[in-house]
Amino acid sequence: MRISVVDVGSNTVRLVVADAQDGVPLPVHTAKWRLRLSEYVRPGDAIPEEAVERLVEAVTEASRTATRWRATEPLAFATAVVRAAPNRREVLCAIRARTGVDLCTLPGELEAELTFLGARRWMGWRSGPLALLDIGGGSLEVAFGRGRLPDFAASLPLGAGRLTHEFFDGDDPPSAEQVRALRRKVRHQLRDVAARIRWEGPRTAVATSRTFQQLGRLCGAAPGRDGPFVERLLHRRDLREAADRLAALTAAERARLPGISAPRAAQSLAGAVVGHTVMKLTGLRTVTVCPWAIREGVLLRHIEDGASWWAQVARVADEQPARDPVPLRVAGAPS
């Protein structure tokens, strides 16, 4: 069976086509399309027609690519930037009508659960009690668990793109006071979640997302060309130094640093501040940068729980009101 997933994020639309052999999604093709919704849409604002057009074009091409690779209809989802838009329903209806792809939005807590599953499967059971950190463009997901799915999951409005708009808009580089104000907000928002992670005392901590991958590379981790099986560690002390370094540079100057891509250079500072602050408050000195994240989590749930699981997710997502992430949800981990 060949399956595919389409992930609509703040900066890109990503496609993964995978063979589901022996319960493992083995990728056969990946592709991405530049979207940069964060350049058109501030957090909580309606998505303008120009951005909808770009989104339709990208989703159409992703669907065609999946078909060329003989995959089933894509499991298609959008994350925070679409989820929080007041015109979310109109955007989703337009995409379905014009592309034939049944795009849905995932609640932030479900994003955390699925990303946790991807990280758990990659790290294996020997990793023990596991803490997960994931910085997106619009939100930060944190999870902890001892089993297949997390014991608790949190989604916070601390995405790198969102905070760049809120604290650094128009200032390049930002002032020291702006950076301090950002750090204060992140500390305040993370207080309860960080206390729970410290109390749980995870044996292993992982970080996912392009933000953490690029920060890891900046701090000396192996480049992507070395493959996914190379261990990549990110140390808190190195991330603090990286944040200070990024704060002194313009976005154009950051884009010349190892690992920092031009499209993400502007938000790299906010990502570094969030990453360092969450590691410090949770007491994590080192995290492993994990190549599997939400897309692999979606594929795994589809393989393990069947097509009816995704149908239920899409139905529930349609009923959710447009809103920003909430501070914390604590729940048992269903199997």
Side-chain angles (χ1 to χ4, degrees):
M1 178 177 65
R2 183 164 287 182
I3 54 181
S4 64
V5 61
V6 172
D7 174 3
V8 177
S10 299
N11 294 294
T12 57
V13 172
R14 293 179 180 270
L15 167 72
V16 176
V17 179
D19 283 335
Q21 297 178 357
D22 301 322
V24 179
L26 302 175
V28 297
H29 182 73
T30 62
K32 67 178 179 180
W33 294 265
R34 296 289 183 196
L35 190 61
R36 300 183 184 177
L37 278 181
S38 58
E39 295 182 7
Y40 295 86
V41 186
R42 291 177 179 272
D45 286 354
I47 299 176
E49 183 61 31
E50 180 182 0
V52 175
E53 289 298 322
R54 291 174 64 91
L55 182 52
V56 166
E57 292 173 5
V59 172
T60 297
E61 188 55 36
S63 178
R64 289 172 179 169
T65 303
T67 300
R68 286 197 297 269
W69 283 86
R70 302 186 306 279
T72 58
E73 181 181 348
L75 309 173
F77 65 91
T79 51
V81 67
V82 176
R83 181 177 62 231
N87 63 336
R88 180 197 64 165
R89 294 185 186 279
E90 291 80 0
V91 171
L92 295 179
C93 288
I95 292 169
R96 291 167 187 167
R98 296 174 61 184
T99 71
V101 175
D102 193 16
L103 184 73
C104 70
T105 54
L106 300 181
E109 299 86 354
L110 181 56
E111 283 188 39
E113 290 181 1
L114 293 168
T115 306
F116 181 93
L117 174 61
R120 167 63 79 192
R121 290 289 188 254
W122 182 268
M123 298 298 293
W125 293 110
R126 70 188 182 103
S127 58
L130 183 69
L132 166 82
L133 310 176
D134 181 281
I135 302 174
S139 60
L140 164 72
E141 275 69 55
V142 181
F144 171 86
R146 297 172 177 81
R148 172 182 176 242
L149 296 178
D151 299 320
F152 86 89
S155 183
L156 299 155
L158 297 176
R162 171 191 293 268
L163 295 177
T164 298
H165 278 303
E166 183 176 347
F167 286 89
F168 303 153
D169 199 19
D171 295 295
D172 187 26
S175 68
E177 177 52 38
Q178 287 172 305
V179 176
R180 285 193 293 269
L182 168 59
R183 199 176 291 275
R184 285 194 297 269
K185 171 166 183 171
V186 176
R187 284 200 301 263
H188 175 73
Q189 292 276 341
L190 279 169
R191 181 179 54 197
D192 294 336
V193 172
R196 176 67 184 266
I197 294 290
R198 289 197 309 272
W199 179 76
E200 294 284 4
R203 176 179 175 179
T204 305
V206 298
T208 66
S209 75
R210 286 295 293 164
T211 295
F212 269 120
Q213 289 173 3
Q214 294 197 2
L215 291 172
R217 179 72 184 100
L218 178 63
C219 293
R225 64 177 176 271
D226 288 356
F229 300 110
V230 175
E231 185 179 48
R232 293 174 172 87
L233 300 178
L234 178 58
H235 302 285
R236 190 173 79 204
R237 63 178 182 274
D238 294 337
L239 189 51
R240 178 55 197 251
E241 292 175 4
D244 292 341
R245 184 182 181 188
L246 292 168
L249 302 175
T250 65
E253 291 168 333
R254 294 174 202 156
R256 295 195 286 269
L257 297 174
I260 304 299
S261 65
R264 294 177 181 269
Q267 66 183 50
S268 60
L269 172 57
V273 170
V274 173
H276 174 264
T277 304
V278 69
M279 289 180 69
K280 183 176 181 180
L281 293 183
T282 55
L284 302 174
R285 295 184 179 276
T286 304
V287 295
T288 298
V289 181
C290 177
W292 274 16
I294 187 169
R295 291 182 291 276
E296 290 76 16
V298 169
L299 293 170
L300 286 163
R301 281 297 298 266
H302 183 76
I303 293 169
E304 296 172 2
D305 295 345
S308 60
W309 167 78
W310 183 256
Q312 180 180 6
V313 166
R315 184 173 62 253
V316 171
D318 275 346
E319 299 169 356
Q320 295 292 319
R323 61 180 178 84
D324 282 342
V326 295
L328 179 64
R329 180 183 65 82
V330 179
S335 59

